[in-house]
Amino acid sequence: MRFYVPEWDDAVDAHYDFEHDELSSLNRKERNLDYIWDIFDRETTPIDGVLISREQVEETDRKAERLAEYGVYDDPVLSVPDWLPTISDCGAWGYKSLPFPPYGNKDMLDFYETLEVSVGVTIDHLVLGSGKDKGRLYLDKRAFHEDFKKGDIPDSLSDVVDVMVDEWPEEWPDYVGEYEPSIRTEQTENITNFTASDFHGDIDVVLRRLAEDRRAVYRENDEKFRYELTLHNAEEMYDLYQNGDYPFRLMVAIQGWDPKSYIKAANKVLDLGYDYLGIGGVAGSPIHEVRKIVKGVGKTVKSFERENSTRVDSHVFGFAKTDGFETIGRSGMTSFDSASMLRSAWTGGDNYQLDSEERYDAIRIRYPSNTDSLDEAIEKSLRGREALVALRAYGSEYPLIEAIDKWHQKAEKVLPAAREYLQEHRHDPRYDKSLLREVESAFRNDFEYGRELQASFSDRLRSRIVMLRKDDPEAPIPFEEYEELLRTAERELEAFPRMLTSSNWKKQFLILDVMNPLAEIQTPMHLLSA
């Protein structure tokens, strides 16, 4: 079973300063970015492929233009290695609030060919359940305005209709006109605003009126429409693909609302001739439902393979539940994709799945938040810095007490050195810049402890100290303003818990089993968590 990771611009600073937990350059354009395939080699890369959604590609014009020019394998930024297969889809979660997918079938085939991906996926429309009695109503966000917002829609309507508000594309694909001619006939620049009268009155009368409105789409059974549209796209796209000469493999995406509907869809697309099937729409479903769907589709695929003496590959989109790995494996699924396990490495526990039953946690050291006061930010930075020092000492099998002691001695030197540096250099020409980033970059590179100041005492303090850009020698800032900031840091450092001088801590460190060094940081980590 192959694991594909979604491409969400998850790149890291190639030359990150791990000692001080800081970016290599404050200027984003100057950083070299590494993706997961840049960090590992072919034998050790912990993924089997990359999922690239059109929604993500077109997040910015620059990225879309770049990938259109170079493709995913030759792109100077993404630069996926040629030995790593790629799947590209339309990103159905991104347009789930629209009445139609914003892409046409021929358009998507051309998109996949331009990107030079290994596999392209048919256009699906996420089947959304609705508990509302009268179906679903789609409204163009561009028709709302200051005097009439979504919240002004009367409860009498929103209580019985699932209201979906999103910004519609400037131009719909041609096929949309077959279903809703009204929304194709108005120029986008002439969209009229909604008023209260559009939504008030007898519910059935309002809905009939909105069904003909150019700014709205109303469906009583939207679930069925999305299901059938997904299958219609699969059929049309298959014909276009067979009549073309495309270099990629075509996967069909199916949707449904229960195991029975998924099995029915699987039978239909297999009869069309597809040999690669993707199960969509299960990302947010309960694990017991996913198991039923995957088992049902898996049995359908195996039965088709036996009857036709052929092979059919299968994929599960957005499968994020590690508890279900065994199920999708036994069901014969070829591959799945998820970013949840990677993201959980900095948000939660039990986040590394191995072949054995073992689980490993990632320990997250939090930065101060933007809402923290200066003294709170400094305190959290001191705690986080000490925790990182302890973790790195543990990783290198270095005595924790000695490592923390060395860090503390260094931290005590930072503030007096900063005071001396500011007195001597605050009016240097290098700080005569308008951009804070340029001044801060010069400060951290020239001042001996510029990076340690941020690491131990917070980015907030360093940014506040870098008033240098406003410190005009002709009208200097009173040095007392610098002193006040430094004294705040000194007070926090003085009040900071000194584990090394506590006899209780020393005793606890000494009696711990040397063969289990992780135990040494369990209690300190608990107390140091921000």
Side-chain angles (χ1 to χ4, degrees):
M1 189 168 60
R2 297 192 296 269
F3 167 53
Y4 285 73
V5 63
E7 194 288 293
W8 285 346
D9 286 324
D10 284 330
V12 297
D13 185 349
H15 303 293
Y16 191 83
D17 180 359
F18 283 97
E19 180 183 354
H20 300 98
D21 203 24
E22 185 167 20
L23 295 166
S24 61
S25 172
L26 298 181
N27 187 342
R28 191 177 189 277
K29 295 180 180 179
E30 294 177 355
R31 298 176 210 146
N32 292 324
L33 299 180
D34 274 354
Y35 290 83
I36 191 169
W37 47 84
D38 297 315
I39 298 172
F40 298 90
D41 56 29
R42 184 170 185 171
E43 287 71 31
T44 59
T45 299
I47 61 173
D48 302 298
V50 187
L51 175 69
I52 303 173
S53 290
R54 181 166 182 171
E55 175 202 9
Q56 182 64 25
V57 169
E58 297 179 343
E59 187 177 37
T60 65
D61 291 340
R62 176 182 293 182
K63 182 175 182 178
E65 292 169 1
R66 199 186 67 237
L67 290 177
E69 179 179 356
Y70 296 103
V72 297
Y73 290 101
D74 294 326
D75 176 52
V77 177
L78 199 59
S79 190
V80 178
D82 56 11
W83 47 264
L84 203 58
T86 49
I87 296 174
S88 184
D89 67 358
C90 49
W93 280 96
Y95 56 79
K96 64 182 180 180
S97 298
L98 294 177
F100 301 95
Y103 315 118
N105 290 311
K106 180 64 167 62
D107 173 43
M108 281 306 303
L109 290 172
D110 292 342
F111 175 81
Y112 298 145
E113 184 174 27
T114 299
L115 259 61
E116 300 178 347
V117 293
S118 311
V119 178
V121 184
T122 59
I123 301 174
D124 56 339
H125 206 15
L126 195 65
V127 173
L128 301 173
S130 175
K132 302 298 178 69
D133 296 337
K134 293 186 177 292
R136 180 167 288 125
L137 175 66
Y138 296 91
L139 300 173
D140 190 344
K141 185 178 181 180
R142 296 170 299 175
F144 287 91
H145 53 98
E146 188 64 29
D147 295 330
F148 191 83
K149 304 181 180 65
K150 179 184 177 181
D152 296 322
I153 296 174
D155 293 341
S156 58
L157 180 63
S158 59
D159 285 345
V160 296
V161 178
D162 186 16
V163 180
M164 310 287 281
V165 177
D166 204 344
E167 184 171 335
W168 291 3
E170 294 184 3
E171 184 178 358
W172 288 102
D174 290 339
Y175 79 89
V176 172
E178 301 174 16
Y179 298 98
E180 294 286 344
S182 63
I183 67 172
R184 297 272 306 153
T185 59
E186 183 175 22
Q187 297 299 316
T188 56
E189 61 267 21
N190 295 323
I191 294 174
T192 56
N193 291 332
F194 285 128
T195 63
S197 61
D198 293 319
F199 300 92
H200 283 281
D202 179 82
I203 298 298
D204 292 327
V205 173
V206 169
L207 291 175
R208 284 197 298 270
R209 183 169 65 242
L210 289 172
E212 302 300 323
D213 195 303
R214 297 172 175 177
R215 305 159 295 178
V217 169
Y218 170 63
R219 299 188 190 114
E220 291 187 64
N221 193 341
D222 188 63
E223 188 177 70
K224 181 181 178 182
F225 178 87
R226 285 169 172 254
Y227 181 79
E228 292 179 346
L229 179 61
T230 298
L231 292 173
H232 175 77
N233 284 333
E235 185 173 358
E236 181 178 303
M237 209 162 181
Y238 184 81
D239 291 338
L240 290 170
Y241 179 80
Q242 293 298 318
N243 292 326
D245 185 23
Y246 296 100
F248 55 88
R249 189 180 180 189
L250 187 63
M251 181 199 298
V252 62
I254 61 171
Q255 291 280 340
W257 53 86
D258 60 15
K260 185 177 180 180
S261 62
Y262 274 99
I263 292 170
K264 181 180 178 181
N267 278 313
K268 182 173 179 60
V269 298
L270 290 173
D271 287 340
L272 289 174
Y274 280 101
D275 61 3
Y276 204 168
L277 183 152
I279 302 174
V282 298
S285 302
I287 183 61
H288 64 275
E289 285 296 320
V290 177
R291 285 195 176 106
K292 292 178 183 177
I293 292 168
V294 171
K295 285 181 180 178
V297 173
K299 288 181 180 179
T300 302
V301 169
K302 289 178 181 178
S303 176
F304 183 86
E305 288 177 325
R306 288 193 298 269
E307 293 173 6
N308 295 273
S309 299
T310 188
R311 173 182 170 81
V312 176
D313 291 319
S314 49
H315 182 92
V316 185
F317 285 100
F319 190 82
K321 299 174 175 63
T322 56
D323 292 344
F325 281 173
E326 185 177 354
T327 298
I328 66 172
R330 289 183 174 180
S331 299
M333 298 294 115
T334 310
S335 56
F336 72 101
D337 70 87
S338 175
S340 295
M341 278 123 356
L342 296 180
R343 292 182 179 274
S344 67
W346 62 87
T347 59
D350 278 357
N351 44 34
Y352 290 102
Q353 170 74 31
L354 302 179
D355 292 336
S356 67
E357 293 300 317
E358 291 182 288
R359 298 288 190 276
Y360 289 85
D361 284 347
I363 300 175
R364 183 184 186 189
I365 307 299
R366 291 182 179 273
Y367 287 103
S369 72
N370 293 329
T371 59
D372 289 333
S373 62
L374 179 60
D375 54 348
E376 288 174 332
I378 294 171
E379 180 190 3
K380 288 183 179 181
S381 289
L382 286 167
R383 292 180 180 276
R385 181 68 165 144
E386 185 176 65
L388 285 171
V389 168
L391 286 168
R392 287 169 183 150
Y394 162 68
S396 60
E397 299 183 358
Y398 189 85
L400 267 66
I401 293 179
E402 187 174 337
I404 294 174
D405 185 40
K406 284 186 177 181
W407 161 72
H408 201 276
Q409 291 177 21
K410 185 176 183 179
E412 288 180 323
K413 297 177 182 178
V414 173
L415 301 175
R419 182 177 285 106
E420 182 178 340
Y421 181 88
L422 290 168
Q423 288 172 334
E424 183 176 351
H425 297 284
R426 61 179 176 142
H427 294 141
D428 285 2
R430 68 170 66 90
Y431 300 121
D432 187 17
K433 305 286 185 181
S434 59
L435 292 178
L436 175 61
R437 185 188 67 208
E438 294 180 10
V439 177
E440 193 168 4
S441 294
F443 178 76
R444 77 169 193 166
N445 292 332
D446 186 66
F447 175 44
E448 178 184 3
Y449 296 108
R451 291 173 181 257
E452 185 62 40
L453 180 68
Q454 181 270 343
S456 291
F457 297 96
S458 82
D459 181 64
R460 179 78 56 82
L461 176 65
R462 189 173 70 183
S463 296
R464 290 279 296 275
I465 281 180
V466 183
M467 296 183 294
L468 300 162
R469 63 184 178 136
K470 298 180 180 180
D471 200 349
D472 188 345
E474 301 299 323
I477 293 175
F479 198 78
E480 176 59 27
E481 294 190 26
Y482 293 109
E483 285 283 8
E484 185 177 347
L485 294 171
L486 294 171
R487 282 198 295 268
T488 299
E490 287 170 337
R491 286 195 298 270
E492 291 301 324
L493 180 61
E494 185 176 351
F496 185 68
R498 300 197 177 208
M499 299 192 309
L500 302 176
T501 60
S502 167
S503 59
N504 290 333
W505 278 113
K506 284 187 176 181
K507 289 178 182 177
Q508 183 167 353
F509 278 124
L510 291 172
I511 64 175
L512 289 170
D513 184 356
V514 180
M515 298 304 293
N516 184 21
L518 181 59
E520 297 179 356
I521 63 170
Q522 286 177 344
T523 308
M525 281 300 298
H526 171 69
L527 294 176
L528 295 173
S529 61

